[in-house]
mmCIF file of all heavy atoms in Angstrom:
data_model
loop_
_atom_site.group_PDB
_atom_site.id
_atom_site.type_symbol
_atom_site.label_atom_id
_atom_site.label_comp_id
_atom_site.label_asym_id
_atom_site.label_seq_id
_atom_site.Cartn_x
_atom_site.Cartn_y
_atom_site.Cartn_z
ATOM 1 N N GLY W 31 -8.837 17.164 7.707
ATOM 2 C CA GLY W 31 -9.866 17.248 8.732
ATOM 3 C C GLY W 31 -10.020 16.051 9.634
ATOM 4 O O GLY W 31 -10.917 16.031 10.484
ATOM 5 N N TRP W 32 -9.171 15.040 9.492
ATOM 6 C CA TRP W 32 -9.252 13.882 10.358
ATOM 7 C C TRP W 32 -8.575 14.163 11.702
ATOM 8 O O TRP W 32 -7.569 14.861 11.762
ATOM 9 C CB TRP W 32 -8.571 12.679 9.715
ATOM 10 C CG TRP W 32 -9.333 12.097 8.565
ATOM 11 C CD1 TRP W 32 -9.278 12.484 7.258
ATOM 12 C CD2 TRP W 32 -10.256 11.015 8.626
ATOM 13 N NE1 TRP W 32 -10.109 11.712 6.496
ATOM 14 C CE2 TRP W 32 -10.719 10.797 7.306
ATOM 15 C CE3 TRP W 32 -10.729 10.205 9.652
ATOM 16 C CZ2 TRP W 32 -11.649 9.811 6.997
ATOM 17 C CZ3 TRP W 32 -11.651 9.213 9.344
ATOM 18 C CH2 TRP W 32 -12.102 9.028 8.033
ATOM 19 N N SER W 33 -9.119 13.603 12.760
ATOM 20 C CA SER W 33 -8.449 13.563 14.052
ATOM 21 C C SER W 33 -7.600 12.299 14.070
ATOM 22 O O SER W 33 -8.134 11.190 14.051
ATOM 23 C CB SER W 33 -9.467 13.541 15.193
ATOM 24 O OG SER W 33 -8.836 13.275 16.425
ATOM 25 N N VAL W 34 -6.272 12.463 14.076
ATOM 26 C CA VAL W 34 -5.363 11.333 13.867
ATOM 27 C C VAL W 34 -4.714 10.917 15.179
ATOM 28 O O VAL W 34 -4.143 11.748 15.902
ATOM 29 C CB VAL W 34 -4.266 11.697 12.846
ATOM 30 C CG1 VAL W 34 -3.301 10.528 12.665
ATOM 31 C CG2 VAL W 34 -4.887 12.093 11.507
ATOM 32 N N LEU W 35 -4.789 9.618 15.465
ATOM 33 C CA LEU W 35 -4.036 9.017 16.553
ATOM 34 C C LEU W 35 -2.889 8.237 15.924
ATOM 35 O O LEU W 35 -3.100 7.210 15.277
ATOM 36 C CB LEU W 35 -4.920 8.087 17.383
ATOM 37 C CG LEU W 35 -4.216 7.270 18.482
ATOM 38 C CD1 LEU W 35 -3.559 8.184 19.507
ATOM 39 C CD2 LEU W 35 -5.199 6.307 19.137
ATOM 40 N N ALA W 36 -1.675 8.745 16.075
ATOM 41 C CA ALA W 36 -0.494 8.118 15.488
ATOM 42 C C ALA W 36 0.015 7.019 16.415
ATOM 43 O O ALA W 36 0.188 7.240 17.618
ATOM 44 C CB ALA W 36 0.591 9.159 15.243
ATOM 45 N N LEU W 37 0.274 5.843 15.841
ATOM 46 C CA LEU W 37 0.744 4.693 16.607
ATOM 47 C C LEU W 37 2.035 4.164 15.995
ATOM 48 O O LEU W 37 2.105 3.938 14.781
ATOM 49 C CB LEU W 37 -0.305 3.580 16.612
ATOM 50 C CG LEU W 37 -1.708 3.942 17.117
ATOM 51 C CD1 LEU W 37 -2.645 2.752 16.935
ATOM 52 C CD2 LEU W 37 -1.675 4.388 18.567
ATOM 53 N N ASP W 38 3.039 3.959 16.836
ATOM 54 C CA ASP W 38 4.309 3.421 16.369
ATOM 55 C C ASP W 38 5.197 3.206 17.584
ATOM 56 O O ASP W 38 4.778 3.465 18.717
ATOM 57 C CB ASP W 38 4.977 4.365 15.355
ATOM 58 C CG ASP W 38 5.841 3.611 14.340
ATOM 59 O OD1 ASP W 38 6.464 2.599 14.710
ATOM 60 O OD2 ASP W 38 5.900 4.051 13.177
ATOM 61 N N ARG W 39 6.426 2.769 17.355
ATOM 62 C CA ARG W 39 7.377 2.672 18.470
ATOM 63 C C ARG W 39 7.896 4.061 18.848
ATOM 64 O O ARG W 39 8.164 4.336 20.017
ATOM 65 C CB ARG W 39 8.554 1.767 18.084
ATOM 66 C CG ARG W 39 8.156 0.336 17.717
ATOM 67 C CD ARG W 39 7.594 -0.437 18.883
ATOM 68 N NE ARG W 39 7.261 -1.808 18.534
ATOM 69 C CZ ARG W 39 8.072 -2.856 18.712
ATOM 70 N NH1 ARG W 39 9.288 -2.676 19.213
ATOM 71 N NH2 ARG W 39 7.681 -4.073 18.383
ATOM 72 N N THR W 40 8.071 4.942 17.845
ATOM 73 C CA THR W 40 8.526 6.314 18.077
ATOM 74 C C THR W 40 7.649 7.261 17.266
ATOM 75 O O THR W 40 7.083 6.864 16.240
ATOM 76 C CB THR W 40 9.996 6.498 17.652
ATOM 77 O OG1 THR W 40 10.144 6.142 16.273
ATOM 78 C CG2 THR W 40 10.918 5.619 18.499
ATOM 79 N N PRO W 41 7.513 8.522 17.675
ATOM 80 C CA PRO W 41 6.616 9.442 16.972
ATOM 81 C C PRO W 41 7.112 9.783 15.568
ATOM 82 O O PRO W 41 8.317 9.756 15.299
ATOM 83 C CB PRO W 41 6.627 10.698 17.869
ATOM 84 C CG PRO W 41 7.220 10.273 19.163
ATOM 85 C CD PRO W 41 8.130 9.126 18.867
ATOM 86 N N PRO W 42 6.188 10.123 14.670
ATOM 87 C CA PRO W 42 6.609 10.625 13.359
ATOM 88 C C PRO W 42 7.400 11.913 13.526
ATOM 89 O O PRO W 42 7.074 12.738 14.382
ATOM 90 C CB PRO W 42 5.279 10.893 12.640
ATOM 91 C CG PRO W 42 4.247 10.134 13.401
ATOM 92 C CD PRO W 42 4.729 10.071 14.812
ATOM 93 N N PRO W 43 8.448 12.128 12.735
ATOM 94 C CA PRO W 43 9.217 13.371 12.829
ATOM 95 C C PRO W 43 8.323 14.595 12.644
ATOM 96 O O PRO W 43 7.540 14.671 11.694
ATOM 97 C CB PRO W 43 10.225 13.246 11.684
ATOM 98 C CG PRO W 43 10.337 11.772 11.431
ATOM 99 C CD PRO W 43 8.988 11.207 11.718
ATOM 100 N N GLY W 44 8.411 15.528 13.561
ATOM 101 C CA GLY W 44 7.664 16.767 13.460
ATOM 102 C C GLY W 44 6.204 16.673 13.829
ATOM 103 O O GLY W 44 5.481 17.670 13.747
ATOM 104 N N TRP W 45 5.738 15.508 14.246
ATOM 105 C CA TRP W 45 4.325 15.325 14.557
ATOM 106 C C TRP W 45 4.015 15.889 15.939
ATOM 107 O O TRP W 45 4.668 15.558 16.919
ATOM 108 C CB TRP W 45 3.974 13.844 14.522
ATOM 109 C CG TRP W 45 2.559 13.508 14.906
ATOM 110 C CD1 TRP W 45 2.140 12.848 16.027
ATOM 111 C CD2 TRP W 45 1.370 13.810 14.165
ATOM 112 N NE1 TRP W 45 0.779 12.707 16.022
ATOM 113 C CE2 TRP W 45 0.270 13.292 14.894
ATOM 114 C CE3 TRP W 45 1.125 14.453 12.954
ATOM 115 C CZ2 TRP W 45 -1.044 13.401 14.444
ATOM 116 C CZ3 TRP W 45 -0.179 14.559 12.504
ATOM 117 C CH2 TRP W 45 -1.243 14.043 13.241
ATOM 118 N N SER W 46 2.998 16.756 16.018
ATOM 119 C CA SER W 46 2.612 17.356 17.291
ATOM 120 C C SER W 46 1.230 16.906 17.757
ATOM 121 O O SER W 46 0.741 17.375 18.784
ATOM 122 C CB SER W 46 2.627 18.893 17.181
ATOM 123 O OG SER W 46 1.741 19.334 16.164
ATOM 124 N N GLY W 47 0.611 15.993 17.010
ATOM 125 C CA GLY W 47 -0.711 15.499 17.379
ATOM 126 C C GLY W 47 -0.632 14.337 18.350
ATOM 127 O O GLY W 47 0.422 14.030 18.921
ATOM 128 N N ASP W 48 -1.770 13.662 18.529
ATOM 129 C CA ASP W 48 -1.837 12.537 19.453
ATOM 130 C C ASP W 48 -0.921 11.405 18.998
ATOM 131 O O ASP W 48 -0.897 11.043 17.812
ATOM 132 C CB ASP W 48 -3.267 12.007 19.530
ATOM 133 C CG ASP W 48 -4.170 12.888 20.381
ATOM 134 O OD1 ASP W 48 -3.647 13.797 21.040
ATOM 135 O OD2 ASP W 48 -5.394 12.648 20.386
ATOM 136 N N PHE W 49 -0.212 10.832 19.959
ATOM 137 C CA PHE W 49 0.692 9.716 19.666
ATOM 138 C C PHE W 49 0.714 8.771 20.852
ATOM 139 O O PHE W 49 0.749 9.208 22.012
ATOM 140 C CB PHE W 49 2.115 10.210 19.389
ATOM 141 C CG PHE W 49 3.120 9.092 19.325
ATOM 142 C CD1 PHE W 49 3.221 8.305 18.190
ATOM 143 C CD2 PHE W 49 3.943 8.801 20.418
ATOM 144 C CE1 PHE W 49 4.125 7.245 18.144
ATOM 145 C CE2 PHE W 49 4.845 7.758 20.376
ATOM 146 C CZ PHE W 49 4.945 6.974 19.228
ATOM 147 N N VAL W 50 0.702 7.467 20.560
ATOM 148 C CA VAL W 50 0.900 6.442 21.586
ATOM 149 C C VAL W 50 1.946 5.462 21.076
ATOM 150 O O VAL W 50 1.834 4.960 19.944
ATOM 151 C CB VAL W 50 -0.408 5.694 21.906
ATOM 152 C CG1 VAL W 50 -0.137 4.560 22.907
ATOM 153 C CG2 VAL W 50 -1.454 6.648 22.479
ATOM 154 N N ALA W 51 2.956 5.204 21.887
ATOM 155 C CA ALA W 51 3.939 4.174 21.563
ATOM 156 C C ALA W 51 3.313 2.819 21.877
ATOM 157 O O ALA W 51 2.880 2.574 23.006
ATOM 158 C CB ALA W 51 5.212 4.386 22.375
ATOM 159 N N VAL W 52 3.277 1.939 20.899
ATOM 160 C CA VAL W 52 2.561 0.677 21.072
ATOM 161 C C VAL W 52 3.322 -0.458 20.401
ATOM 162 O O VAL W 52 3.927 -0.268 19.333
ATOM 163 C CB VAL W 52 1.118 0.782 20.503
ATOM 164 C CG1 VAL W 52 1.132 1.100 19.028
ATOM 165 C CG2 VAL W 52 0.307 -0.476 20.784
ATOM 166 N N ASP W 53 3.292 -1.609 21.035
ATOM 167 C CA ASP W 53 3.838 -2.836 20.460
ATOM 168 C C ASP W 53 2.668 -3.605 19.855
ATOM 169 O O ASP W 53 1.834 -4.169 20.569
ATOM 170 C CB ASP W 53 4.523 -3.655 21.557
ATOM 171 C CG ASP W 53 5.074 -4.987 21.039
ATOM 172 O OD1 ASP W 53 4.893 -5.300 19.842
ATOM 173 O OD2 ASP W 53 5.681 -5.712 21.848
ATOM 174 N N LEU W 54 2.597 -3.641 18.541
ATOM 175 C CA LEU W 54 1.443 -4.245 17.879
ATOM 176 C C LEU W 54 1.422 -5.760 17.998
ATOM 177 O O LEU W 54 0.396 -6.380 17.710
ATOM 178 C CB LEU W 54 1.413 -3.846 16.404
ATOM 179 C CG LEU W 54 1.230 -2.351 16.103
ATOM 180 C CD1 LEU W 54 1.249 -2.117 14.601
ATOM 181 C CD2 LEU W 54 -0.048 -1.809 16.720
ATOM 182 N N THR W 55 2.512 -6.366 18.419
ATOM 183 C CA THR W 55 2.488 -7.807 18.628
ATOM 184 C C THR W 55 1.863 -8.177 19.975
ATOM 185 O O THR W 55 1.681 -9.363 20.265
ATOM 186 C CB THR W 55 3.897 -8.416 18.534
ATOM 187 O OG1 THR W 55 4.715 -7.925 19.603
ATOM 188 C CG2 THR W 55 4.544 -8.081 17.190
ATOM 189 N N ASP W 56 1.515 -7.182 20.774
ATOM 190 C CA ASP W 56 0.849 -7.385 22.068
ATOM 191 C C ASP W 56 -0.622 -7.019 21.893
ATOM 192 O O ASP W 56 -0.977 -5.836 21.806
ATOM 193 C CB ASP W 56 1.509 -6.506 23.131
ATOM 194 C CG ASP W 56 0.911 -6.684 24.524
ATOM 195 O OD1 ASP W 56 -0.290 -7.037 24.636
ATOM 196 O OD2 ASP W 56 1.623 -6.427 25.506
ATOM 197 N N TYR W 57 -1.488 -8.039 21.834
ATOM 198 C CA TYR W 57 -2.896 -7.793 21.539
ATOM 199 C C TYR W 57 -3.544 -6.854 22.550
ATOM 200 O O TYR W 57 -4.353 -5.996 22.173
ATOM 201 C CB TYR W 57 -3.675 -9.113 21.490
ATOM 202 C CG TYR W 57 -5.149 -8.915 21.252
ATOM 203 C CD1 TYR W 57 -5.621 -8.493 20.010
ATOM 204 C CD2 TYR W 57 -6.075 -9.129 22.275
ATOM 205 C CE1 TYR W 57 -6.975 -8.294 19.786
ATOM 206 C CE2 TYR W 57 -7.430 -8.936 22.060
ATOM 207 C CZ TYR W 57 -7.876 -8.516 20.818
ATOM 208 O OH TYR W 57 -9.208 -8.305 20.598
ATOM 209 N N GLY W 58 -3.206 -6.989 23.811
ATOM 210 C CA GLY W 58 -3.816 -6.134 24.828
ATOM 211 C C GLY W 58 -3.545 -4.667 24.578
ATOM 212 O O GLY W 58 -4.436 -3.822 24.744
ATOM 213 N N GLN W 59 -2.323 -4.337 24.179
ATOM 214 C CA GLN W 59 -2.005 -2.948 23.876
ATOM 215 C C GLN W 59 -2.814 -2.442 22.692
ATOM 216 O O GLN W 59 -3.328 -1.317 22.698
ATOM 217 C CB GLN W 59 -0.505 -2.804 23.574
ATOM 218 C CG GLN W 59 0.409 -3.047 24.758
ATOM 219 C CD GLN W 59 1.856 -2.731 24.428
ATOM 220 O OE1 GLN W 59 2.145 -1.782 23.709
ATOM 221 N NE2 GLN W 59 2.769 -3.538 24.959
ATOM 222 N N VAL W 60 -2.933 -3.271 21.660
ATOM 223 C CA VAL W 60 -3.657 -2.848 20.458
ATOM 224 C C VAL W 60 -5.124 -2.617 20.774
ATOM 225 O O VAL W 60 -5.722 -1.604 20.369
ATOM 226 C CB VAL W 60 -3.492 -3.891 19.333
ATOM 227 C CG1 VAL W 60 -4.227 -3.426 18.071
ATOM 228 C CG2 VAL W 60 -2.017 -4.127 19.027
ATOM 229 N N LEU W 61 -5.732 -3.542 21.507
ATOM 230 C CA LEU W 61 -7.139 -3.396 21.856
ATOM 231 C C LEU W 61 -7.362 -2.146 22.696
ATOM 232 O O LEU W 61 -8.347 -1.411 22.482
ATOM 233 C CB LEU W 61 -7.618 -4.629 22.617
ATOM 234 C CG LEU W 61 -9.089 -4.623 23.049
ATOM 235 C CD1 LEU W 61 -10.012 -4.494 21.843
ATOM 236 C CD2 LEU W 61 -9.414 -5.884 23.848
ATOM 237 N N GLU W 62 -6.463 -1.873 23.617
ATOM 238 C CA GLU W 62 -6.627 -0.690 24.465
ATOM 239 C C GLU W 62 -6.625 0.601 23.650
ATOM 240 O O GLU W 62 -7.499 1.448 23.806
ATOM 241 C CB GLU W 62 -5.515 -0.621 25.513
ATOM 242 C CG GLU W 62 -5.613 0.608 26.416
ATOM 243 C CD GLU W 62 -4.457 0.711 27.381
ATOM 244 O OE1 GLU W 62 -4.331 -0.161 28.264
ATOM 245 O OE2 GLU W 62 -3.675 1.680 27.242
ATOM 246 N N VAL W 63 -5.647 0.743 22.751
ATOM 247 C CA VAL W 63 -5.542 2.021 22.039
ATOM 248 C C VAL W 63 -6.687 2.188 21.035
ATOM 249 O O VAL W 63 -7.199 3.298 20.854
ATOM 250 C CB VAL W 63 -4.178 2.199 21.340
ATOM 251 C CG1 VAL W 63 -3.066 2.275 22.380
ATOM 252 C CG2 VAL W 63 -3.885 1.108 20.330
ATOM 253 N N LEU W 64 -7.117 1.090 20.382
ATOM 254 C CA LEU W 64 -8.188 1.229 19.393
ATOM 255 C C LEU W 64 -9.556 1.426 20.031
ATOM 256 O O LEU W 64 -10.445 2.037 19.429
ATOM 257 C CB LEU W 64 -8.225 0.012 18.462
ATOM 258 C CG LEU W 64 -7.002 -0.202 17.566
ATOM 259 C CD1 LEU W 64 -7.272 -1.308 16.558
ATOM 260 C CD2 LEU W 64 -6.576 1.073 16.843
ATOM 261 N N SER W 65 -9.720 0.934 21.235
ATOM 262 C CA SER W 65 -11.010 1.082 21.915
ATOM 263 C C SER W 65 -11.091 2.358 22.744
ATOM 264 O O SER W 65 -12.106 2.610 23.403
ATOM 265 C CB SER W 65 -11.279 -0.134 22.801
ATOM 266 O OG SER W 65 -10.271 -0.270 23.793
ATOM 267 N N GLY W 66 -10.043 3.178 22.696
ATOM 268 C CA GLY W 66 -10.066 4.446 23.418
ATOM 269 C C GLY W 66 -9.756 4.314 24.893
ATOM 270 O O GLY W 66 -10.125 5.193 25.681
ATOM 271 N N GLY W 67 -9.048 3.242 25.269
ATOM 272 C CA GLY W 67 -8.791 3.015 26.678
ATOM 273 C C GLY W 67 -7.533 3.630 27.230
ATOM 274 O O GLY W 67 -7.314 3.604 28.440
ATOM 275 N N THR W 68 -6.687 4.192 26.360
ATOM 276 C CA THR W 68 -5.443 4.800 26.838
ATOM 277 C C THR W 68 -5.730 6.189 27.400
ATOM 278 O O THR W 68 -6.378 7.008 26.742
ATOM 279 C CB THR W 68 -4.415 4.888 25.696
ATOM 280 O OG1 THR W 68 -4.160 3.579 25.193
ATOM 281 C CG2 THR W 68 -3.107 5.509 26.177
ATOM 282 N N ASP W 69 -5.255 6.452 28.596
ATOM 283 C CA ASP W 69 -5.519 7.734 29.254
ATOM 284 C C ASP W 69 -5.165 8.906 28.346
ATOM 285 O O ASP W 69 -4.087 8.945 27.747
ATOM 286 C CB ASP W 69 -4.697 7.849 30.548
ATOM 287 C CG ASP W 69 -5.159 6.876 31.615
ATOM 288 O OD1 ASP W 69 -6.241 6.293 31.448
ATOM 289 O OD2 ASP W 69 -4.419 6.692 32.605
ATOM 290 N N GLU W 70 -6.098 9.836 28.224
ATOM 291 C CA GLU W 70 -5.920 11.080 27.474
ATOM 292 C C GLU W 70 -5.773 10.859 25.967
ATOM 293 O O GLU W 70 -5.426 11.785 25.235
ATOM 294 C CB GLU W 70 -4.722 11.882 27.997
ATOM 295 C CG GLU W 70 -4.854 12.261 29.474
ATOM 296 C CD GLU W 70 -3.697 13.101 29.988
ATOM 297 O OE1 GLU W 70 -2.901 13.598 29.159
ATOM 298 O OE2 GLU W 70 -3.585 13.253 31.211
ATOM 299 N N ARG W 71 -6.037 9.637 25.494
ATOM 300 C CA ARG W 71 -5.909 9.362 24.059
ATOM 301 C C ARG W 71 -7.193 8.744 23.505
ATOM 302 O O ARG W 71 -7.180 8.098 22.470
ATOM 303 C CB ARG W 71 -4.716 8.451 23.788
ATOM 304 C CG ARG W 71 -3.362 9.124 24.052
ATOM 305 C CD ARG W 71 -3.107 10.268 23.085
ATOM 306 N NE ARG W 71 -1.818 10.901 23.313
ATOM 307 C CZ ARG W 71 -1.625 12.006 24.030
ATOM 308 N NH1 ARG W 71 -2.671 12.610 24.615
ATOM 309 N NH2 ARG W 71 -0.423 12.515 24.181
ATOM 310 N N GLY W 72 -8.311 8.913 24.193
ATOM 311 C CA GLY W 72 -9.599 8.461 23.696
ATOM 312 C C GLY W 72 -10.183 9.532 22.797
ATOM 313 O O GLY W 72 -9.569 10.580 22.585
ATOM 314 N N PRO W 73 -11.371 9.305 22.248
ATOM 315 C CA PRO W 73 -12.246 8.137 22.410
ATOM 316 C C PRO W 73 -11.886 7.027 21.428
ATOM 317 O O PRO W 73 -10.870 7.114 20.731
ATOM 318 C CB PRO W 73 -13.617 8.722 22.094
ATOM 319 C CG PRO W 73 -13.318 9.762 21.046
ATOM 320 C CD PRO W 73 -11.996 10.365 21.449
ATOM 321 N N ARG W 74 -12.738 6.000 21.366
ATOM 322 C CA ARG W 74 -12.578 4.940 20.370
ATOM 323 C C ARG W 74 -12.501 5.545 18.982
ATOM 324 O O ARG W 74 -13.202 6.497 18.659
ATOM 325 C CB ARG W 74 -13.772 3.976 20.453
ATOM 326 C CG ARG W 74 -13.701 2.825 19.447
ATOM 327 C CD ARG W 74 -14.969 1.983 19.496
ATOM 328 N NE ARG W 74 -16.136 2.702 19.014
ATOM 329 C CZ ARG W 74 -16.452 2.849 17.731
ATOM 330 N NH1 ARG W 74 -15.664 2.353 16.783
ATOM 331 N NH2 ARG W 74 -17.540 3.496 17.378
#
Side-chain angles (χ1 to χ4, degrees):
W32 288 86
S33 170
V34 178
L35 174 61
L37 304 175
D38 210 325
R39 300 294 182 95
T40 57
W45 177 249
S46 59
D48 283 351
F49 170 78
V50 176
V52 60
D53 178 358
L54 296 179
T55 65
D56 182 332
Y57 177 71
Q59 293 187 37
V60 181
L61 180 59
E62 179 184 294
V63 295
L64 295 189
S65 60
T68 301
D69 292 347
E70 301 182 12
R71 291 294 181 263
R74 180 185 68 82

